[in-house]
Each structure stands twice: as C-alpha cells, then as structure tokens.
Amino acid sequence: MIYLFCRAVVRGLFAILYRFESVGVHNIPSEGGVLICSNHISIRDPISVGIHVKRQVKFMAKAELFKIPVFGWLVRQLGAFPVKRGGVSKDSIKMALTILRSGEIMGIFPEGTRNSDATAAKRGAASFALRSGATVIPAAIIGDYKLFRKVKIIYGAPVDLSQFEGDKSPEALDAATGMIMAKIHEMRASGKPTVN
C-alpha cells in the first residue's frame, strides 16, 4: 500500500532530520471515529501528526499545498484532502463528517492556520466532534523543525465533551473549543500527555 510505504519512508526521514519522537500514541483508540486536534506551527505538521499512528490519519489541507511538486503528492498519499482558501465548503464538511462517522481518523488544526503562539482557535474542530460523536484526542507539536533538533508530538487522553452533546449553540462550540485548546496548551507547557 502506497500509504504504508510513504509513512515508513517519511518516518525514517523525520527520525534523522528532526530526531522526531512521539509520546502517548496509546491514547488513540484502535477503532472508531477519532478527531486528532493539534497546534499548527509548520507545513510539516500533518505529516508529524500521522506518521506514528497505526491507523491512517486523514486531513483537511489548503488546496495550494497540493500544487507543490512532490510535497503535494506526498500529502495526498498520507491522507489529506483539499480545502479551498476562503472557507470550508459544504463538500469538505461532508467529507470530514463521512470520515469520522465511518470510524476513521481525521487530523485537524483548530487554529485554522499556522500560529506559533497558539493563541486563537476556530469552532470547526468542536463542531465536527459534536456532530460526528468522534473521540477527540488533543495533540501538541513541540519544536521548530530545525535540522537535527528534536521535534516531539504528544497525544493526550481523550477530551470529554459529553456535556455538550446535542448542543449546537455558538456558546457550546466556544466552550468545547476552549477545552480542546486548553489540553493542547497544557501539553505544550508540560511536555507530557494529559490524563483523564
């Protein structure tokens, strides 16, 4: 399978180039819909989120990324699907919900764009989670992707959003988003997975 081959190759490259390490992979359920929510600091982040996860992780990614020679092909093989700049289309939303409801894993960056400070987040991740019933796994990427300097990704315990079940109000989405981002911030600060 192309995905498995690409993942193995990139895993080896990241191990050499960034001394890449993953912590807390055991927190990701072995079955069922899962939404991995991570901070976003680099174009390499989708690869970092998925290369040590046993199951394939699929992503929304800016359509422009798919036009980059070699990298665009690689991102597609690693499970990404394009989203046009200027907002998420109905087709993209349907695709995301289909992935989660069919028991697959999707990765998403709640901030919506690269943000080294991780100070803002949009409601999309929380909306997908609440509409699909997927398990939410917070992830924190730590490092700056400078050659031969360590980059680490930490996967935390599932975020319990059960209190918001059935509530689609903006207030509920904001609160759920805040909970997800708080877990990501906590792991970035501590360097350790969150626990329940």
Side-chain angles (χ1 to χ4, degrees):
M1 183 178 181
I2 294 178
Y3 171 74
L4 294 177
F5 174 77
C6 290
R7 186 179 66 181
V9 170
V10 175
R11 186 184 292 178
L13 288 174
F14 270 42
I16 295 170
L17 298 177
Y18 307 119
R19 298 167 54 208
F20 192 80
E21 175 188 3
S22 64
V23 179
V25 179
H26 65 275
N27 283 315
I28 301 172
S30 59
E31 58 184 22
V34 175
L35 186 65
I36 299 177
C37 299
S38 174
N39 61 309
H40 196 12
I41 57 177
S42 168
I43 195 173
R44 306 167 188 85
D45 293 341
I47 296 173
S48 294
V49 170
I51 59 174
H52 281 183
V53 178
K54 292 182 179 179
R55 301 163 62 193
Q56 183 173 11
V57 181
K58 299 185 176 181
F59 289 91
M60 282 186 178
K62 291 181 181 179
E64 291 83 358
L65 296 180
F66 295 84
K67 299 177 183 178
I68 300 174
V70 181
F71 184 82
W73 176 85
L74 179 60
V75 170
R76 189 180 296 276
Q77 298 310 312
L78 291 173
F81 58 97
V83 177
K84 294 180 180 179
R85 183 182 291 275
V88 179
S89 68
K90 289 182 179 180
D91 288 341
S92 297
I93 292 172
K94 287 181 180 179
M95 174 66 77
L97 291 174
T98 296
I99 288 170
L100 295 171
R101 288 169 177 166
S102 63
E104 298 181 85
I105 300 182
M106 192 176 95
I108 193 170
F109 304 104
E111 297 151 285
T113 187
R114 293 193 295 279
N115 178 9
S116 60
D117 294 326
T119 55
K122 299 179 180 180
R123 298 170 179 166
S127 177
F128 288 141
L130 295 177
R131 291 173 67 182
S132 67
T135 299
V136 176
I137 298 293
I141 300 172
I142 301 173
D144 53 14
Y145 291 101
K146 290 186 177 178
L147 288 179
F148 311 119
R149 292 189 183 180
K150 180 177 283 295
V151 174
K152 177 166 69 172
I153 184 167
I154 306 170
Y155 303 96
V159 181
D160 183 4
L161 300 180
S162 58
Q163 62 184 295
F164 305 111
E165 188 174 348
D167 189 347
K168 299 179 182 179
S169 68
E171 292 77 17
L173 292 177
D174 285 341
T177 299
M179 288 180 64
I180 294 169
M181 294 307 297
K183 295 295 185 181
I184 295 173
H185 291 317
E186 179 182 338
M187 292 189 296
R188 291 186 73 195
S190 69
K192 299 178 181 179
T194 53
V195 297
N196 286 329

